[in-house]
Amino acid sequence: GVRLVGSEMCIREALPEYRRRGYAEKLINELIFEAKSNGRKGVVLTCKDKLVPYYSKFGFESEGVSESAHGGAVWYEMRLSF
């Protein structure tokens, strides 16, 4: 899902049935475009460690382990600043 948080947008991981179809790439590119078009400061997301390299391809930088403990998993916070 997508939700607005102050001057940034925050997204969560894709549902399993929508993975590996190119939807995430399209969503991320559109989200970046919309964020820039609407004067946002950037985009923040959390992901599991295996996805850090994937989001890095879009220019996101890892800020390390997130404070989130959702589902008992370790999450990494990724930020793309404009």
Side-chain angles (χ1 to χ4, degrees):
V2 178
R3 66 184 173 95
L4 296 177
V5 179
S7 60
E8 298 179 332
M9 293 182 172
C10 184
I11 65 173
R12 293 180 22 182
E13 83 180 305
L15 297 172
E17 60 266 28
Y18 293 103
R19 293 181 190 153
R20 301 202 176 269
R21 296 184 181 187
Y23 297 138
E25 182 177 355
K26 290 177 185 177
L27 173 65
I28 293 165
N29 285 326
E30 184 64 22
L31 180 62
I32 292 168
F33 174 79
E34 289 297 322
K36 287 180 177 179
S37 297
N38 287 290
R40 301 291 180 177
K41 291 182 184 178
V43 179
V44 177
L45 61 86
T46 56
C47 66
K48 295 182 179 169
D49 61 342
K50 67 181 179 182
L51 291 175
V52 168
Y54 176 76
Y55 290 113
S56 294
K57 293 190 295 186
F58 296 94
F60 285 86
E61 295 181 0
S62 176
E63 295 186 335
V65 176
S66 170
E67 292 180 12
S68 175
H70 179 72
V74 175
W75 296 92
Y76 288 80
E77 187 154 304
M78 304 288 292
R79 182 179 303 270
L80 175 63
S81 298
F82 306 137

